[in-house]
Amino acid sequence: MLDPSKNELLTQVGRDTPMGELLRRYWMPIAAVSEFDSESVRPVRLLGEDLTLYKDMNGTFGLVDRHCPHRSADMSYGFVEQCGLRCNYHGWLFDQEGRCIEQPYEDVAHPEAHFRDKIRIKAYPVQAHAGLLWAYLGSQPAPLVPNWEPFTWKNGFVQIVFADVPCNWLQCQENSVDPLHFEWMHMNWSVRLKDQGGAYSPRHLKLAFEEFDYGIVYRRIREGMSEEDPLWKVGRVCLWPNALFTGDHFEWRVPIDDRNTLSVTWCFTRVPKEREPYAQEKIPGWRGPVLDAETGRWISSHVMNQDFIAWIGQGAIADRTREHLGTSDAGIIMLRQIFLRDIEAIAHGEDPKATIRDAQLNRCVSLPIADRKRLVEGMTREEMSRHPLAAGQLADYIFQAGQPREVREAYAAAMGLSK
Ligand code: FES
Ligand SMILES: [Fe+2]
């Protein structure tokens, strides 16, 4: 249970709040690079700020204020030029650093005034990496965009999946350090949803949580498992500050504002050995629905949709004054304590946890990976079809509802599944 002031402290993401400041010290994934093959400008809301993300004709990405500094027209209806984004109202043009580089009327009528030199639009850095666009809203100097080990892997098909989840990011992230829910929400509930009564899945017998450089490792023993199992020996990762990492799959919970979260998944599937060497031409990005329009209920058919139901169900901002934490929640307590500790660290001028500034280290940042052998060495298609996790992933995209047909087809072609 948390007192109300701590709940507020941990959940507010606005610019002038302590957690808002902490979260701004990290690069946030906000879109897929490939989405900008077919569009050039879109509105983005991030950490409570209304912004405009664009790709200009030179291929440079920019993230600027939603509103023009002239008379506040909506920059997400602006249009791109060779360099920068132009407001559609009176044509002021801004580059990715926020400089005003053209004021069509003033430049002609009163060039001597150099009015545009006095104007800037709010602008934040954007970087493309691993098929994602990353934004940084914090103080300079910015840390590096983490080059997590799976981003360096070859011979895989990657897809990036988004969902708008109408609740605060922290309750989503608490799910990243909650191994027990897997048994109930994903295993037992899925069986019941399919109307197949019968045995429950193996119970969790033992959990352990441990802080490391880039987050918290969680370990589990379920009925029938030994302490030699990689899920106990290696574990899985609650990745700092707002992600889950399972080995071939990242899920970021990106705060849109205090009451909304952008779920961003980066999912790597190693192609069968027969298909190697394989180089993916384009990493697709797609957005799945959360609500079933026919029934008006949340979609429950896929793993992450089930998670969304848990998160949304906790309320727009979970009221942690009403909770009753058990021993299975030790990781959640640890997560909150680390954030509170880092709020203090930032107040003392220090970097928060897991900000990476060493370029040498960032050539490839290793993480604990329970399935390392399978992912690094690969499997034949035969082996994949017999593997409990890989077989399901060959058959369908199990994590989120709404995969577009063209992504499924590209995936099937990569895996050699098409005729
Ligand atoms: S409001 Fe943007 S140029 Fe006038
Ligand atoms: Fe889950």
Side-chain angles (χ1 to χ4, degrees):
M1 195 200 284
L2 276 185
D3 68 54
S5 64
K6 284 228 171 63
N7 201 34
E8 257 181 38
L9 178 67
L10 286 170
T11 52
Q12 292 180 342
V13 302
R15 172 155 283 285
D16 297 318
T17 64
M19 270 308 274
E21 172 63 24
L22 183 149
L23 290 162
R24 279 170 175 73
R25 301 300 186 95
Y26 301 89
W27 291 86
M28 295 284 162
I30 54 169
V33 172
S34 63
E35 292 180 287
F36 282 80
D37 293 348
S38 55
E39 64 181 313
S40 55
V41 191
R42 68 155 69 160
V44 165
R45 189 162 159 79
L46 178 60
L47 293 163
E49 297 188 39
D50 286 312
L51 304 167
T52 307
L53 178 62
Y54 69 86
K55 179 183 171 186
D56 71 17
M57 292 177 187
N58 282 334
T60 303
F61 289 96
L63 182 63
V64 296
D65 200 343
R66 180 77 184 268
H67 295 285
C68 177
H70 179 213
R71 280 167 44 212
S72 300
D74 185 343
M75 294 298 290
S76 75
Y77 288 93
F79 48 96
V80 293
E81 296 287 4
Q82 206 62 40
C83 170
L85 178 67
R86 191 185 292 283
C87 177
N88 68 349
Y89 202 9
H90 313 97
W92 288 19
L93 176 66
F94 302 91
D95 72 6
Q96 77 275 11
E97 311 265 332
R99 282 182 290 253
C100 182
I101 53 176
E102 261 186 56
Q103 288 171 329
Y105 179 78
E106 309 297 333
D107 290 350
V108 170
H110 296 287
E112 72 293 345
H114 299 291
F115 182 34
R116 66 175 145 96
D117 296 345
K118 303 183 183 79
I119 302 295
R120 286 191 88 87
I121 191 168
K122 178 163 79 176
Y124 294 118
V126 183
Q127 275 191 39
H129 188 58
L132 287 161
L133 290 173
W134 302 77
Y136 180 78
L137 272 57
S139 54
Q140 293 291 340
L144 300 167
V145 177
N147 193 24
W148 305 121
E149 179 181 351
F151 296 166
T152 69
W153 288 346
K154 301 201 174 357
N155 291 309
F157 181 90
V158 175
Q159 55 195 301
I160 294 169
V161 187
F162 301 94
D164 284 307
V165 184
C167 66
N168 183 263
W169 77 281
L170 182 65
Q171 61 217 52
C172 313
Q173 180 59 1
E174 287 176 340
N175 176 252
S176 306
V177 68
D178 179 2
L180 183 60
H181 87 281
F182 179 82
E183 173 189 333
W184 289 97
M185 172 151 263
H186 301 309
M187 303 305 290
N188 295 338
W189 189 37
S190 294
V191 170
R192 294 301 169 97
L193 280 170
K194 290 184 190 124
D195 207 18
Q196 298 164 0
Y200 282 155
S201 74
R203 281 182 304 183
H204 282 78
L205 302 176
K206 191 159 132 184
L207 298 170
F209 304 90
E210 195 177 296
E211 186 179 356
F212 78 114
D213 283 354
Y214 304 113
I216 299 171
V217 168
Y218 62 83
R219 307 168 198 275
R220 52 160 68 107
I221 295 278
R222 298 174 71 192
E223 285 170 330
M225 267 171 68
S226 83
E227 297 205 351
E228 290 309 302
D229 193 291
L231 287 176
W232 178 258
K233 278 180 93 168
V234 182
R236 294 222 153 112
V237 174
C238 167
L239 186 67
W240 229 246
N242 62 332
L244 169 71
F245 172 65
T246 64
D248 49 2
H249 179 116
F250 294 84
E251 295 170 17
W252 290 273
R253 298 61 160 98
V254 178
I256 295 173
D257 55 30
D258 290 352
R259 292 168 169 263
N260 292 281
T261 299
L262 178 68
S263 169
V264 182
T265 303
W266 185 98
C267 183
F268 173 99
T269 314
R270 174 93 182 215
V271 299
K273 274 188 173 158
E274 302 89 314
R275 304 286 301 162
E276 297 177 9
Y278 169 79
Q280 188 175 14
E281 269 172 32
K282 169 173 145 175
I283 296 179
W286 55 276
R287 187 171 289 252
V290 172
L291 193 67
D292 181 333
E294 264 177 38
T295 63
R297 300 276 284 168
W298 307 115
I299 296 169
S300 59
S301 52
H302 290 62
V303 177
M304 289 180 61
N305 294 89
Q306 296 174 345
D307 289 320
F308 300 160
I309 290 175
W311 310 343
I312 297 166
Q314 289 173 287
I317 302 174
D319 181 354
R320 293 174 179 76
T321 65
R322 294 153 54 111
E323 65 191 8
H324 299 87
L325 301 184
T327 55
S328 66
D329 302 307
I332 286 167
I333 294 167
M334 187 182 285
L335 173 117
R336 295 174 188 174
Q337 284 171 342
I338 299 171
F339 282 134
L340 293 171
R341 183 187 80 197
D342 271 2
I343 285 173
E344 289 293 310
I346 289 173
H348 291 104
E350 292 160 28
D351 265 344
K353 182 178 180 65
T355 40
I356 300 172
R357 297 188 183 275
D358 178 344
Q360 183 67 24
L361 165 79
N362 203 40
R363 286 168 63 169
C364 176
V365 185
S366 293
L367 293 169
I369 298 179
D371 295 332
R372 177 176 290 283
K373 189 169 172 350
R374 166 170 79 93
L375 295 166
V376 171
E377 291 176 15
M379 288 190 290
T380 63
R381 189 148 60 233
E382 225 294 287
E383 287 166 333
M384 283 174 92
S385 62
R386 281 188 282 113
H387 187 278
L389 279 179
Q393 291 177 23
L394 267 184
D396 198 1
Y397 185 74
I398 60 170
F399 296 110
Q400 207 179 300
Q403 188 190 45
R405 180 186 298 174
E406 63 272 18
V407 178
R408 179 67 208 169
E409 286 172 356
Y411 175 87
M415 299 295 146
L417 299 175
S418 26
K419 345 84 284 159

